[in-house]
Amino acid sequence: MRSVLPVTGREQLHATRQSGLLDDEPTADLRDGKVQSGPDLSITLQGGLVLPNPFVIGSGPPGTNYAVMKKAFEEGWGAVIAKTVSVDSSKVVNVTPRYAKLKAPSNSREVIGWENIELISDRPLETMLDDFKRLKQEFPNRILIASIMEEYDKPAWEELISRCEDVGVDAFEVNFSCPHGMPERKMGMAMGQDCDILEEVCGWINNKATVPVWAKMTPNITDISFPARSALQSGCEGVSAINTITSVMGVNLDTLRPEPCVEGYTTPGGYSSKAVKPIALAKVMSIARIIKEEYAGGRDLSGIGGVETGRDAAEFILLGANTVQVCTGVMLHGYPMVKQLCGGLQAFMKQHDFSSIEDFRGSSLPFFTTHHELVRMQREAINAKKRARQGLASDADWSGDGFVKETESMVAN
């Protein structure tokens, strides 16, 4: 059921493509990311950023260098978030193999879970900045977002922000959520789990940045609303949720070694793909409620976790997200899947007669309540049915048109 994938450069993005699994999805005609017919998918974010569609390349291998980010823009993705960068890439050393996958029992081709122990970008910051500059020169009207991470070091954060802004990035996503490797250096998830540190670092970032800032949340915490609130209170224009979930993909019962196995050993990694979607939806719902209740002017919310179809994306948008990120899905299906994501989302919108994303964003959010309230509502519904079965209160209540039904309402068997 489980297997470990070797990594050979750019082939990592294509070797595992699940050919055929999206064949039944409708396809949209995109030009510079904009649909040419049907419901409008464009969105406007905080800070005036305009995306032609809500589908964003999530930070990771699909945004690792110029070639793959260029491919993403050419295929029509609404925005690209580059792989996370830091000031000193020499501290970042990856291993191979670094992925493991979980397949559906009923379909050996269908991947439902994906684990990675990959770190942030191991390319020199100068090289990544050159890629950012080149991309903005070639695609000046498309949205490029730098994902950034640093240690608890204010000057390092400020240097990273200045250098990224100098080459023209449109926004930042702050990685407070990588669950493996980086927390050993008190980075990533280690910061995202400490609301006091997160709030302080977000303050440094927002005092320096002149473009919108999103904070990327870790799901590996009891209540995601606490760090989300800290980030928003510190001035972030939005939050992204969720990053990967701490996991061990499994143990090989022949070798008795955990996977992915590196020289006989492994480390817990980050779990993604479609199996995490229900967890991601719950976290997004929690954050969306904060934004709705506490920020009258709104904030951006980027939903992440298990999105492979337009209908998956619709669920995140119904819970309040205005963008939806895809990372593992691109590694499995390739960059052209954005056309099917847009087509599938448009098909959903046509089904309900929605003409824009804002027509339905957050529409399902009011239908969440407490378990206590569910019990009360069900009790009231049962009592109402009992009262209806008791029939008419007096002879004056009989009617001509409803005579048969009124008679039946008072029959005991």
Side-chain angles (χ1 to χ4, degrees), residues 43 45 51 53-60 62-63 77-84 145-147 171-175 177 213-217 238-244 272-274 276-277 280 284 300-309 312-314 316-317 321-331 337-338 341:
I43 52 168
L45 304 177
L51 276 62
N53 67 68
F55 295 105
V56 178
I57 290 287
S59 180
W77 288 84
V80 173
I81 304 178
K83 193 173 186 183
T84 304
I145 300 172
S147 174
F172 291 106
E173 182 180 76
V174 190
N175 188 338
S177 45
V213 176
W214 297 351
K216 191 172 185 178
M217 298 287 102
V239 292
S240 307
I242 58 173
N243 206 329
T244 53
S272 61
S273 198
K274 62 178 67 177
V276 310
K277 191 180 79 172
V284 165
D300 293 327
L301 176 54
S302 193
I304 317 167
V307 173
E308 294 191 4
T309 69
D312 291 334
F316 281 93
I317 297 169
N322 48 10
T323 62
V324 180
Q325 296 185 30
V326 186
C327 181
T328 307
V330 179
M331 299 172 75
M337 72 179 292
V338 68
L341 289 169

Side-chain angles (χ1 to χ4, degrees), residues 399-411:
S399 68
D401 293 336
F403 188 81
V404 174
K405 288 185 177 180
E406 290 160 359
T407 300
E408 185 63 26
S409 73
M410 293 181 283
V411 174

